[in-house]
Amino acid sequence: MIAPTAVLSLCADVRYRTVGEEMVLLSQARGEVMVLNPVAAFVVAAFDGATSLAAIASRVAEAFEVSAEEALADVVTFAARLVELSVAEVHGTDR
Amino acid sequence: MTGRPRSVGWTCGEATSLSGNERLSDAVSDLSHAPSLSRDAAVFGASFLHHPEHLPGRTGSRAWGRCRLVVHFAGGPYAFVGLARSQRDAIRARFSDYAGTPGTTPAVVTRVRRIPEAAFRRFDLAGWRYAMEFEARPEWVRAVGLTFVSRLEVGPTLSATLWTSLAGEGLFLEGIENTFRVTAAYRLLQLGGALLHSAAVVVAGRAYLFLGPSGTGKTTIATNASAAGFVVLSDDMNAVAPSREGTMVEKLPFAGLLGNDPTPAQPFRLGGVYRLRQAPHLALRPVGHAEMVGYAAACAPYLNADPHRTPALLEALASLLRQVPRGVLEVARDTPFDQVAALLEAGQ
């Protein structure tokens, strides 16, 4: 489980491009292409190596009009999946 | 025999449909899954060379001869220099439909150089599908296969060197074709286009591209189309590039199982791009722009494994596929192509 204070960045082999509101993402080490929906694209675009998942979740809650609790749960779950897929890595912790 | 090269490469996989309302945990649509081209060998070239650390550099080995040949297809003309006469004749015979005009300025020049046969490891390839090693750097890309090493300098202009141990016999053309594929992919990207693993069929003057991993029916649909009297460009690789008339598709001399049809090498306007999916009934499902860009990226060999060119590839694909009809084509293996053509034309 990833803590809400975790700060993520995309792995070095990952390249992406925003297409409309979605995102096409290539993980070259895994040889995979993925497409992220607008909410996921919003989250990944915020993986700047400085912003915590909690802060990203706050932005998601505001931008997509969902509750803060729901946004945080979804962002953390999604982030964990990206780490599991070697698309993103925990860069540090926002203390 | 000391080992066998491993089969590696990108493939397109199944995608899940994405709507905007899914939970984040369901938001990732995995379009492809395959090992990368570069992670298998600890030392680049080790799968094929006894001493990969001695990979030939940019220069420093002898040309095979003084012959020159120009071949013209999408993104070309492409010139080969330093050929032995036997090599020139072999290339000329293989690409007879693509003879270039002597004296034209080539877009890419490939210098052909010698490398000792003893440099390569020997394999028993019976029953194996062979795939070369490929590596990309900001300034160049290189490839190694059973009997060749190639390097493409990637800058404002492209230039290539092919080291081969063969004078034109046996697997000589394997090195030529592999070098050609890589060169064509990078040249097309320079032009804002892409080389795509696909089948292309001409319907009412427009080329329709069918993307999909092995086994989803590219060759089958191309075979059915050919049997019904439609022009098939290639069932394996096609060039897509922008032009004043719109996005164009051009046949490349890299046919798959269908073989090299004597079909026209002229460009055709892109009629649509479709992901193939085997299904009992013919149907066309909508696909969003981003998802189709993802499918196409998974079908863009070499460049999708090149981190230095991936952003440009995605940019090109997003532009090429922005305003063309697209979708998932569900089709049975025995669906007559006339029915497919009617469905595609109705979608225009």
Side-chain angles (χ1 to χ4, degrees):
Chain A
M1 191 63 182
I2 297 177
T5 52
V7 171
L8 269 68
S9 57
L10 290 175
C11 293
D13 65 288
V14 172
R15 300 290 182 275
Y16 68 86
R17 186 187 191 282
T18 302
V19 179
E21 293 184 327
E22 297 180 314
M23 181 180 283
V24 180
L25 191 146
L26 273 79
S27 168
Q28 280 161 332
R30 290 171 60 90
E32 290 179 351
V33 183
M34 303 165 194
V35 174
L36 306 185
N37 72 14
V39 188
F42 182 93
V43 173
V44 168
F47 286 172
D48 56 5
T51 308
S52 70
L53 295 180
I56 294 171
S58 294
R59 295 182 197 171
V60 168
E62 190 175 338
F64 296 92
E65 297 179 352
V66 293
S67 71
E69 295 76 17
E70 188 182 1
L72 182 59
D74 275 3
V75 166
V76 169
T77 303
F78 176 57
R81 186 165 179 203
L82 291 184
V83 170
E84 183 185 311
L85 291 170
S86 299
V87 168
E89 57 194 3
V90 177
H91 190 74
T93 304
D94 177 22
R95 294 172 191 271
Chain B
M1 184 167 63
T2 54
R4 284 172 158 155
R6 283 156 285 199
S7 178
V8 292
W10 285 72
T11 60
C12 322
E14 284 298 311
T16 54
S17 173
L18 293 177
S19 69
N21 301 322
E22 291 159 310
R23 291 177 60 83
L24 283 174
S25 55
D26 299 324
V28 179
S29 173
D30 186 355
L31 298 183
S32 71
H33 184 90
S36 78
L37 285 163
S38 58
R39 74 176 177 188
D40 270 18
V43 177
F44 181 74
S47 294
F48 298 102
L49 296 166
H50 288 298
H51 299 287
E53 67 276 17
H54 298 155
L55 266 179
R58 190 172 177 177
T59 57
S61 54
R62 286 190 303 130
W64 274 89
R66 295 184 175 183
C67 292
R68 172 189 172 94
L69 186 69
V70 177
V71 178
H72 199 150
F73 56 80
Y78 301 90
F80 288 91
V81 300
L83 294 163
R85 188 170 297 173
S86 52
Q87 292 173 326
R88 180 198 62 190
D89 293 345
I91 298 172
R92 183 180 279 165
R94 167 66 182 82
F95 298 102
S96 58
D97 293 340
Y98 302 87
T101 308
T104 51
T105 303
V108 186
V109 175
T110 299
R111 295 176 297 276
V112 180
R113 297 288 185 261
R114 292 174 184 265
I115 186 171
E117 189 177 352
F120 295 95
R121 297 165 64 188
R122 289 181 174 275
F123 301 99
D124 175 7
L125 288 173
W128 279 79
R129 186 181 174 196
Y130 146 68
M132 65 184 187
E133 282 189 54
F134 176 80
E135 184 181 49
R137 290 287 182 271
E139 303 82 15
W140 48 260
V141 296
R142 60 184 182 177
V144 182
L146 287 173
T147 60
F148 75 95
V149 177
S150 70
R151 174 168 158 145
L152 178 69
E153 310 300 326
V154 183
T157 59
L158 300 175
S159 65
T161 307
L162 168 67
W163 291 267
T164 176
S165 61
L166 301 171
E169 76 282 14
L171 289 171
F172 168 71
L173 287 173
E174 175 249 359
I176 292 289
E177 289 197 21
N178 277 303
T179 303
F180 242 152
R181 286 189 179 94
V182 175
T183 302
Y186 282 78
R187 174 61 181 154
L188 286 164
L189 183 65
Q190 254 188 354
L191 300 172
L195 175 73
L196 294 178
H197 269 302
S198 57
V201 179
V202 179
V203 177
R206 290 174 183 258
Y208 291 81
L209 278 183
F210 303 104
L211 310 175
S214 295
T216 50
K218 292 194 298 294
T219 295
T220 300
I221 202 165
T223 303
N224 292 346
S226 183
F230 291 87
V231 169
V232 175
L233 300 184
S234 168
D235 66 329
D236 185 37
M237 281 197 186
N238 293 280
V240 185
S243 79
R244 288 177 191 166
E245 292 77 38
T247 302
M248 308 299 283
V249 182
E250 193 170 335
K251 173 187 179 180
L252 291 173
F254 312 126
L257 298 174
L258 197 60
N260 285 297
D261 259 9
T263 53
Q266 73 193 70
F268 291 87
R269 189 161 182 180
L270 178 62
V273 182
Y274 301 92
R275 160 81 167 183
L276 286 178
R277 182 181 293 157
Q278 293 295 320
H281 304 292
L282 183 63
L284 200 52
R285 311 286 179 203
V287 162
H289 183 202
E291 200 162 341
M292 188 52 79
V293 170
Y295 284 143
C299 296
Y302 318 120
L303 289 161
N304 64 14
D306 178 345
H308 313 289
R309 258 64 66 171
T310 304
L313 171 68
L314 294 174
E315 181 73 33
L317 293 173
S319 176
L320 290 166
L321 304 176
R322 183 170 292 128
Q323 290 181 330
V324 298
R326 55 183 177 255
V328 171
L329 180 67
E330 296 182 348
V331 62
R333 300 188 75 83
D334 58 354
T335 302
F337 192 81
D338 290 314
Q339 294 179 20
V340 175
L343 185 65
L344 297 178
E345 285 192 278
Q348 283 291 318

